[in-house]
Amino acid sequence: MSTVLSNPAGMIAHGAPRIIHNDAELEMYTDALFRLTALERPSSSEVEAIELLTLLVERYEQEHYSIPEADPVSVVRFLIEQQNLTQRDLIPQFGSESSVSMFMTGQRHLTLAQVRKLSTRFKLPADVFILKGSVTQSRKRLAKAHSRSR
């Protein structure tokens, strides 16, 4: 074992980075991270410090400030609002006014073709328009239907 790691508790007692527990610590670590990333030519130990501080900051932020995944309807509503569009403006992507309406009211999911067209129109990755877990749910429904047909 390396001599640096022979006494990890001692390292932490002497100020080595540790788990972030509150917003004040988050602010200190973020400030240190900004100072390090502003260096023109960081040393190898500074690069390692950047990596470690980034991991610690990301971990704290994911636990305390996570942003929930948006469902496709919310994403499309947001895009319509931001770009001053109407539902009718999306007919080319959906095929018909009723298809747009049914999607917006949650009565219908997007087809793969609609996902592609929305992705192209809004210049966003296709996964933004795909409900997380919908593939798993679809597989469960198919398996259930298959077991009933036996």
Side-chain angles (χ1 to χ4, degrees), residues 10-84:
M11 284 177 23
I12 291 172
H14 285 91
R18 53 179 171 240
I19 303 297
I20 300 171
H21 296 287
N22 56 53
D23 287 353
E25 290 177 358
L26 174 65
E27 187 174 340
M28 289 180 356
Y29 278 49
T30 303
D31 290 343
L33 188 55
F34 283 138
R35 285 193 308 275
L36 285 167
T37 56
L39 297 173
E40 275 191 44
R41 293 189 180 141
S43 67
S44 61
S45 61
E46 289 166 333
V47 169
E48 286 190 45
I50 290 169
E51 292 173 2
L52 177 60
L53 292 176
T54 299
L55 289 171
L56 293 170
V57 167
E58 286 177 348
R59 178 180 183 259
Y60 183 83
E61 287 179 343
Q62 285 174 352
E63 288 179 3
H64 295 87
Y65 299 105
S66 65
I67 299 171
E69 294 283 337
D71 65 287
V73 174
S74 298
V75 170
V76 172
R77 283 186 197 282
F78 175 78
L79 293 168
I80 287 173
E81 181 181 315
Q82 291 299 305
Q83 296 187 16
N84 294 318

Side-chain angles (χ1 to χ4, degrees), residues 100-120:
V100 177
S101 181
M102 291 178 77
F103 167 73
M104 297 300 283
T105 58
Q107 296 174 335
R108 182 178 282 177
H109 293 289
L110 294 172
T111 65
L112 186 55
Q114 291 166 338
V115 168
R116 286 183 181 137
K117 289 175 182 177
L118 287 168
S119 175
T120 300

